[in-house]
Amino acid sequence: MLLPLTPTRVVPFVSALASHGERPALVTDDGVVAYAVLAEQVAAFAQRLGQARRLVLIEGGNDPAALVSYLGALAAGCPVLLVPPGERAGAWIEGYDPDVVVTAGELVERRALSAHDLHPDLALLLTTSGSTGSAKLVRLSHDNLQANAEAVADAVGVRPDDRALTTLPLHYSYGLSVVHSHLLRGAALVLTGLSVVDLCFWELAATAGATSFAGVPYTFDLLDRVGFSERDLPSLRYVSCAGGRLAPDRVRHWAQVGRRRGWDLVVMYGQTEATARIAVLPAALALEHPDAVGRPVPGTAVRVEEGEVVVTGPGVMLGYAEDPADLALGRTVETLHTGDLGTIGPDGLLRLTGRRRRIAKVLGLRVDLAHVEAVLGREGTVACCAELDGALLVAADGNGDDRELGRRAAQVAGLPARAVRAAHLGELPRLASGKPDAGRAIALVPAVRPTALTGDLLVLYADVLDRDDLTDADSFVSAGGDSLSYVELSLRLEDVLGQLPPGWHLTSIGDLRPAVWRRRPRLETSVALRAVAIVLVVAFHSNALSIVGGAHLLIGVAGFNLARFGLSLPSRAERLRHLRASAARIAVPTVLWAGAVAVVTGSYGLTTVLQANSVLGPRAWGPAWQLWFVEALLQLLILVALLVAVPALDRAERRRPFGAAAVLVAAGLLLRDVPGVGGPDGIHTSAAVLWLFALGWAAARSTDRWRRLLVSAALLAGLPGFFDDAQRATVVAAGLLALVWLPALRCPTMLRRLAGVLASSSLWIYLTQWQVYPRFEDDRPWLGVLASLVVGIAACRLVQVVGSWVRRYSPARTEDASTHRR
């Protein structure tokens, strides 16, 4: 029976889109869409739906077509069933029989009038944790959407000039709340389905001037992997986290990173049943209260009853829908019992302590473990479920197809199959009571799904995308991959391919497969340059080659590594400890070796031993200047430590890391031209090479193309007039430009290992060469090179062995061990 037309209501912020005029609304690959244009597109879609109020199913992808369809349906007053893109939409169509279906922007009208009795307040139906096509949906009203959008915008402080990256799916309540709160304020959305592990994502963030993005705990694990803490995004204001518990130490870590980089970490707590956001932790409190999830958003009240977090307010859902008949219901829920256990302190901050029921978070979704076990049990499979490392683990009685078990468990839990690890154990371990021993059973589930251990790309793709019909002609995109599967597959492909080639997601599996066999290990450019430079230094001194510039190149590499490692630490105290340790690792062996040489041969004086030759030593070139490179490096480390020791300067470097390096480059360029500061020929003191050291520092801080171009331009502009010969300038320019533009190089495994040995031994090679190569430089210079390298490597290894022995058998270590045994 087709029901007659029903008077419609519209969500206010959707009706108000046109009021924002020419402000940017969407930033896409095709350009910027103004609010006025977006409003026209939304109105046009609403007009296509007509006057009949119907149930509209929309696949919620992060693309303009899906967003316009969603807003257009709301503008037409039609309730929207927003589901994930992909084959699972068929289950929702079968379960809820929508009147209109929108997939990939294509509208299919299944009937002219609705087959359902749709309550006037019903605006949106969202899937909730554990949902499948036959499971319950969350019913949200127009007032829910408007009120929560206002509450989130107020709590976070969304501004009209903000630009939010859509890092989370549109069909996920957390991702949708970002969309709603920004459209409410007339801010822009940077629409993308890219993952944070994709380089293009960060290029988009920089070029679009992104001010925020949202993540779940898993997102922050990926941010660690891609080195986000060292990425410079001047426009970024804040990063939010919800969708699961981010451990307090991780909250503290990322809050410190944000403080150093100039953005805030905003921790949130919410549920789909509360229209996404319930509480927000002010960014200023993240370091002091990393265990809290915040205070209630405006208009929402939170209390704790018998340990359970209970929520009231305009964001609380109308209720659940378990079948199409429930779409006629009005409000059936006034108070939301979240199932989360928590406390509210005197400071008003909510802290979560656990779950009343066995609920796990997988990929940011809540999974009712007892429900999964019950469904499998009704189907004849006795199973135990748990969550570990972001995956759902299933251990089952009997023997059977583990892959099929994983698929069924994923189906029940509403998860992609790649998020489930399942195993038949033959017989589940039991407790004395006869009940399954869940702890022991889960421990027997393999840590990695068996298919992940194979190097066959077709099996890998099939496993991640849950497809059995793939061929070599398929690519990730053509096989229907989404943003979440992109993350999963990219990480697992890296284990096989070493590094993903550009555009891998568009490349056929067949074309990728040969890369497995052509694969070569990659060597970091900084390591390669250290190895090459030290060989060039020794070869020049031994008269084997006439190529100079290796030592100055090493100065630039040292600045690069200092910025990447020593200055990436979260606190000033940790930075200072690192700098002191680095200086000691250079100063102690240098003073000891130079002192021994001074006693045995007399070729070094006290100023050389004490690394003060550039200040107190002779003005003419001679043996006293042989260790100039080590002395300059040591003095530069001390200079940086002095700068970091000043709190105001340390804060300034954290806020503007590239700018701080650029200031030091400018200072170095001015200082090198001061008469007398560069030693006998003007290029062999710390003052003279400060600008090269700072350029390496700036190269490490160059997280986008324009900064890399600035560093390259400064290098090429600074070299003329500094070196007397073009050949030395060419070596330094080539090396540092490679450092700026090439993060890694492909090379055979043996060459990679050799480069690693040379790079790690470069200090000892430099120190000892002066006592080795002179015996060979006249007749057999290359033998002198080889001997110098071998002696330096041997000295380095000897020091490492002795140091390890001293640490192992030192009195303090022995006392600690004996105390532990007692």
Side-chain angles (χ1 to χ4, degrees):
M1 171 184 173
L2 298 180
L3 298 174
L5 302 182
T6 305
T8 61
R9 295 183 57 192
V10 180
V11 181
F13 71 75
V14 176
S15 300
L17 291 175
S19 68
H20 301 298
E22 296 304 314
R23 295 193 60 80
L26 309 179
V27 180
T28 72
D29 291 337
D30 297 325
V32 178
V33 178
Y35 267 94
V37 176
L38 176 63
E40 291 176 359
Q41 295 173 348
V42 168
F45 190 89
Q47 192 171 15
R48 289 179 64 189
L49 290 175
Q51 298 298 311
R53 189 164 183 262
R54 294 176 288 175
L55 178 62
V56 181
L57 181 145
I58 299 175
E59 290 188 336
N62 287 3
D63 58 84
L67 181 59
V68 168
S69 301
Y70 167 65
L71 297 173
L74 291 180
C78 295
V80 176
L81 170 51
L82 200 57
V83 302
E87 297 176 358
R88 291 180 179 82
W92 293 108
I93 294 172
E94 181 180 349
Y96 278 85
D97 189 24
D99 306 307
V100 180
V101 174
V102 182
T103 58
E106 295 295 323
L107 185 149
V108 177
E109 296 189 74
R110 305 179 75 210
R111 56 184 68 90
L113 297 176
S114 184
H116 307 289
D117 184 3
L118 304 171
H119 193 278
D121 290 341
L122 182 62
L124 178 62
L125 296 161
L126 287 180
T127 62
T128 185
S129 305
S131 294
T132 66
S134 60
K136 60 188 178 184
L137 295 168
V138 171
R139 295 183 292 116
L140 300 173
S141 69
H142 307 84
D143 291 340
N144 286 150
L145 302 187
Q146 182 71 19
N148 202 248
E150 292 174 353
V152 172
D154 288 343
V156 177
V158 178
R159 304 171 183 170
D161 60 349
D162 276 338
R163 294 189 171 195
L165 283 156
T166 57
T167 43
L168 299 171
L170 185 66
H171 60 81
Y172 179 30
S173 62
Y174 181 15
L176 195 59
S177 73
V178 173
V179 172
H180 290 173
S181 58
H182 282 71
L183 293 179
L184 174 85
R185 288 287 170 84
L189 299 168
V190 184
L191 281 181
T192 178
L194 295 171
S195 160
V196 296
V197 301
D198 194 321
L199 180 61
C200 296
F201 176 89
W202 298 110
E203 291 178 352
L204 175 64
T207 57
T211 59
S212 69
F213 66 87
V216 297
Y218 181 52
T219 307
F220 287 82
D221 291 339
L222 297 177
L223 292 176
D224 261 338
R225 186 183 182 100
V226 299
F228 172 66
S229 59
E230 295 307 310
R231 191 169 291 278
D232 188 17
L233 293 172
S235 61
L236 190 64
R237 286 206 306 119
Y238 67 91
V239 178
S240 63
C241 179
R245 180 178 182 269
L246 191 63
D249 62 323
R250 302 290 290 153
V251 171
R252 188 178 289 109
H253 165 73
W254 285 111
Q256 289 172 333
V257 170
R259 187 167 292 187
R260 173 162 52 90
R261 287 294 182 186
W263 49 263
D264 291 328
L265 176 69
V266 180
V267 176
M268 299 179 171
Y269 163 61
Q271 289 187 357
T272 304
E273 290 86 343
T275 322
R277 304 299 94 212
I278 293 173
V280 172
L281 181 68
L285 300 181
L287 279 175
E288 186 180 354
H289 302 284
D291 58 333
V293 294
R295 299 188 177 105
V297 296
T300 294
V302 176
R303 64 182 186 273
V304 176
E305 293 182 359
E306 297 181 358
E308 182 180 14
V309 178
V310 178
V311 179
T312 57
V316 173
M317 64 178 176
L318 295 174
Y320 290 113
E322 299 192 39
D323 58 51
D326 291 339
L327 304 184
L329 298 175
R331 179 167 292 281
T332 59
V333 174
E334 296 289 344
T335 300
L336 175 62
H337 292 263
T338 63
D340 291 316
L341 302 178
T343 62
I344 299 176
D347 52 11
L349 294 177
L350 174 64
R351 292 169 173 83
L352 302 181
T353 58
R355 284 291 297 175
R356 183 175 291 279
R357 294 182 297 150
R358 291 179 57 223
I359 301 293
K361 280 275 188 171
V362 181
L363 297 181
L365 302 175
R366 284 182 296 135
V367 177
D368 187 336
L369 301 177
H371 172 69
V372 177
E373 292 173 352
V375 172
L376 294 177
R378 288 196 296 269
E379 296 173 354
T381 301
V382 179
C384 299
C385 298
E387 181 274 335
L388 182 66
D389 296 333
L392 173 63
L393 274 60
V394 182
D397 226 348
N399 299 298
D401 186 336
D402 291 348
R403 186 178 177 84
E404 186 56 37
L405 173 63
R407 280 183 174 176
R408 180 56 184 144
Q411 200 174 42
V412 174
L415 296 170
R418 65 182 180 276
V420 180
R421 294 176 356 217
H424 287 86
L425 303 182
E427 184 176 348
L428 285 174
R430 302 273 172 174
L431 299 169
S433 63
K435 294 181 180 180
D437 186 339
R440 288 172 55 204
I442 290 300
L444 296 174
V445 177
V448 181
R449 296 182 67 182
T451 49
L453 298 176
T454 73
D456 186 84
L457 300 190
L458 199 58
V459 175
L460 218 96
Y461 271 69
D463 182 47
V464 173
L465 300 176
D466 196 23
R467 293 276 300 272
D468 290 330
D469 57 344
L470 298 178
T471 69
D472 279 357
D474 288 305
S475 69
F476 172 80
V477 172
S478 69
D482 57 21
S483 59
L484 289 177
S485 55
Y486 179 95
V487 173
E488 176 77 8
L489 186 57
S490 66
L491 295 180
R492 286 168 62 174
L493 279 176
E494 283 182 357
D495 293 336
V496 177
L497 298 177
Q499 182 174 0
L500 297 180
W504 70 268
H505 55 297
L506 301 173
T507 305
S508 71
I509 299 172
D511 288 339
L512 274 179
R513 181 177 281 112
V516 176
W517 313 117
R518 294 195 301 266
R519 175 170 65 97
R520 292 178 180 173
R522 294 175 67 85
L523 175 66
E524 281 196 22
T525 301
S526 61
V527 176
L529 290 177
R530 286 175 64 188
V532 170
I534 194 62
V535 172
L536 289 179
V537 167
V538 177
F540 172 71
H541 292 156
S542 302
N543 290 329
L545 291 175
S546 59
I547 300 176
V548 290
H552 287 85
L553 176 55
L554 283 173
I555 290 289
V557 174
F560 180 84
N561 286 331
L562 173 71
R564 281 206 309 165
F565 306 127
L567 297 180
S568 65
L569 295 168
S571 70
R572 186 166 62 94
E574 289 174 298
R575 287 178 164 200
L576 287 172
R577 279 196 296 271
H578 178 93
L579 288 165
R580 284 196 297 267
S582 297
R585 282 194 295 269
I586 295 173
V588 172
T590 300
V591 170
L592 291 176
W593 180 261
V597 172
V599 170
V600 174
T601 69
S603 58
Y604 293 157
L606 184 61
T607 57
T608 302
V609 173
L610 298 179
Q611 296 294 279
N613 186 70
S614 60
V615 180
L616 304 174
R619 297 296 91 192
W621 188 264
W625 284 90
Q626 287 179 347
L627 303 184
W628 78 268
F629 163 76
V630 182
E631 179 180 324
L633 182 56
L634 184 60
Q635 291 173 357
L636 289 170
L637 288 176
I638 294 172
L639 170 65
V640 175
L642 292 174
L643 295 176
V644 171
V646 180
L649 296 180
D650 182 64
R651 287 194 298 271
E653 195 281 333
R654 293 172 189 276
R655 286 195 298 268
R656 295 289 184 271
F658 181 80
V663 169
L664 208 58
V665 171
L669 287 171
L670 293 174
L671 187 60
R672 76 179 197 185
D673 293 328
V674 175
V677 303
D681 51 6
I683 61 172
H684 288 103
T685 66
S686 57
V689 298
L690 171 62
W691 73 283
L692 286 173
F693 180 82
L695 269 177
W697 181 343
R701 301 305 200 201
S702 300
T703 54
D704 54 33
R705 182 168 298 178
W706 76 266
R707 285 179 173 81
R708 291 193 288 270
L709 287 171
L710 282 177
V711 172
S712 302
L715 171 65
L716 296 177
L719 286 173
F722 183 60
F723 295 124
D724 291 335
D725 56 295
Q727 181 266 316
R728 192 194 300 260
T730 301
V731 169
V732 174
L736 293 185
L737 287 175
L739 195 65
V740 172
W741 294 99
L742 298 174
L745 307 168
R746 292 191 182 278
C747 68
T749 300
M750 185 173 295
L751 186 57
R752 181 171 176 266
R753 290 172 179 167
L754 176 60
V757 170
L758 289 170
S760 62
S761 307
S762 55
L763 173 62
W764 277 102
I765 293 173
Y766 193 92
L767 289 174
T768 59
Q769 61 169 323
W770 308 99
Q771 284 71 51
V772 178
Y773 76 78
R775 303 174 184 277
F776 306 96
E777 63 179 323
D778 293 332
D779 301 321
R780 292 166 290 178
W782 278 109
L783 184 57
V785 173
L786 181 61
S788 297
L789 297 178
V790 169
V791 169
I793 292 170
C796 181
R797 292 298 176 266
L798 178 61
V799 169
Q800 290 173 346
V801 170
V802 172
S804 176
W805 184 88
V806 170
R807 287 190 296 272
R808 182 178 303 173
Y809 296 106
S810 65
R813 180 67 175 268
T814 304
E815 177 63 24
D816 288 343
S818 63
T819 302
H820 179 73
R821 286 193 294 271
R822 289 197 295 268

